[in-house]
Amino acid sequence: MIVDMPETTTSEVTKRLVSLRESNGVITMGRVLTLVVCTLDSSEAEDAIDAANDASREHPCRVVVLARGDREAETRLDAQIRVGGDAGAAEVIVLRLQGELINHESSVVIPFLLPDTPVVAWWPRGAPEFPSKDSVGRLATRRITDATFAPDPQETIKKRRDSYATGDTDLAWSRITYWRALLAATMDEPPYEPVESVTVSGLREEPALDMLAGWLAARLGCQVRRRTGELRVEVHRPSVSIAIARPQTGRTATLIRTGDPVQRIALARRETRDCLAEELRRLDADEIYAEALAGIEKVTYE
């Protein structure tokens, strides 16, 4: 069910939400968190809602979407409530802000936060330079950004080191979960020799690879190079070399190990909804993510 409420107030939206809950049997206590999605405009909101709805099937939540309109327009709040089949396992409240309201996002959000549950803020695009200091970010225990869609993704993920605060994370980190698992498994096999060097290659504008390089540099303490080229990670030990390569748009990777037959492994690029669901599984500090950010400083860029 979708209910449109043009030119409304937060009080009226709250009353209507309670009415819909009572008439449709939606139980607020079943929500485990409030996910606040900060979008740049209304056109971006639908993709974010789709991803949040999918993630909500694993993490039932209330989704509050802030869609910024024209700052120069007359101050106005248009709202939309989605429940039932149109909201996955969530209650979705879309708040379209116009005029001066854009400068008071946190004040608009506060009435819709579920009591005694964690708050997660997600910026699909256009994240603030310091998420923890943003008005919405200060309300959240967990703040999710995505450097992938920034104008300069590589520079953006590097700046995350300077703005990091406990509770921050970036979807570029969860996009490499399967790569990290595969690399850890391949290096946990004999011969157990120290890693001498690693080369991470791929698109310059793919911040997930910068995170991967930073993670390897932090964990292995060896030289890690980041190059532009085909998507490939090479690990060199004194007697063994391991290479994992995959076409940029492919779903199957090739694992090449000295002295072993070539292996093919499923390794598709992760969708935003899967990355978001993963990040919602933990609401405490991600210390390994922080180490990977710090490790980027140790990477040699060629």
Side-chain angles (χ1 to χ4, degrees):
M1 176 186 294
I2 297 178
V3 178
D4 290 309
M5 301 181 65
E7 295 189 66
T8 188
T9 65
T10 57
S11 177
E12 289 300 317
V13 176
T14 301
K15 291 178 182 177
R16 190 61 180 276
L17 187 62
V18 172
S19 173
L20 287 171
R21 187 184 307 129
E22 291 175 349
S23 61
N24 290 278
V26 179
I27 303 174
T28 306
M29 293 298 290
R31 310 303 178 196
V32 298
L33 58 87
T34 303
L35 174 63
V36 182
V37 186
C38 303
T39 63
L40 293 176
D41 52 48
S42 297
S43 62
E44 178 192 309
E46 288 304 321
D47 288 341
I49 291 172
D50 288 343
N53 282 347
D54 285 341
S56 75
R57 302 183 191 283
E58 182 176 340
H59 311 278
C61 59
R62 171 176 288 178
V63 179
V64 181
V65 181
L66 294 176
R68 302 169 192 158
D70 185 358
R71 290 180 182 272
E72 304 302 321
E74 182 179 353
T75 300
R76 166 174 169 165
L77 172 63
D78 295 327
Q80 185 181 80
I81 300 174
R82 304 183 186 187
V83 294
D86 293 296
E91 294 173 326
V92 178
I93 306 167
V94 183
L95 304 172
R96 295 184 170 86
L97 314 181
Q98 299 275 4
E100 184 63 23
L101 276 180
I102 296 176
N103 299 321
H104 303 280
E105 291 180 331
S106 61
S107 297
V108 177
V109 166
I110 287 174
F112 301 105
L113 301 181
L114 293 173
D116 302 321
T117 58
V119 177
V120 179
W122 173 37
W123 292 267
R125 300 174 190 262
E129 186 174 354
F130 289 86
S132 62
K133 297 180 180 179
D134 179 79
S135 62
V136 174
R138 285 196 292 267
L139 300 173
T141 55
R142 187 83 161 146
R143 295 166 295 275
I144 305 172
T145 56
D146 195 347
T148 304
F149 301 107
D152 188 340
Q154 189 174 83
E155 188 61 27
T156 298
I157 199 65
K158 290 180 180 180
K159 288 182 178 179
R160 295 277 184 258
R161 297 172 297 182
D162 303 324
S163 66
Y164 177 77
T166 301
D168 287 359
T169 191
D170 195 282
L171 293 189
W173 175 239
S174 44
R175 285 196 173 92
I176 59 168
T177 296
Y178 294 157
W179 281 85
R180 290 189 291 125
L182 180 56
L183 285 165
T186 56
M187 288 187 286
D188 193 27
E189 296 180 3
Y192 301 107
E193 301 171 335
V195 177
E196 296 179 326
S197 66
V198 178
T199 301
V200 179
S201 304
L203 298 176
R204 179 191 180 279
E205 59 270 21
E206 182 52 80
L209 296 179
D210 298 286
M211 290 299 306
L212 184 61
W215 172 69
L216 290 166
R219 285 285 157 173
L220 298 177
C222 65
Q223 182 182 35
V224 178
R225 300 183 181 89
R226 170 78 161 90
R227 294 175 177 171
T228 301
E230 67 172 335
L231 182 53
R232 185 181 180 93
V233 178
E234 298 179 8
V235 179
H236 300 284
R237 282 173 158 165
S239 63
V240 173
S241 291
I242 303 167
I244 302 173
R246 196 202 73 194
Q248 296 289 355
T249 59
R251 303 178 62 85
T252 304
T254 301
L255 172 61
I256 305 171
R257 181 185 176 94
T258 303
D260 291 346
V262 175
Q263 300 180 47
R264 298 195 178 278
I265 301 170
L267 193 63
R269 180 181 175 85
R270 301 190 77 192
E271 299 291 339
T272 297
R273 61 177 179 270
D274 300 319
C275 297
L276 179 62
E278 177 180 328
E279 293 299 344
L280 294 178
R281 287 180 199 136
R282 62 177 303 160
L283 299 174
D284 58 337
D286 191 340
E287 297 175 353
I288 307 302
Y289 167 72
E291 289 179 10
L293 282 178
I296 293 177
E297 294 183 351
K298 305 174 184 179
V299 176
T300 302
Y301 283 79
E302 300 179 349

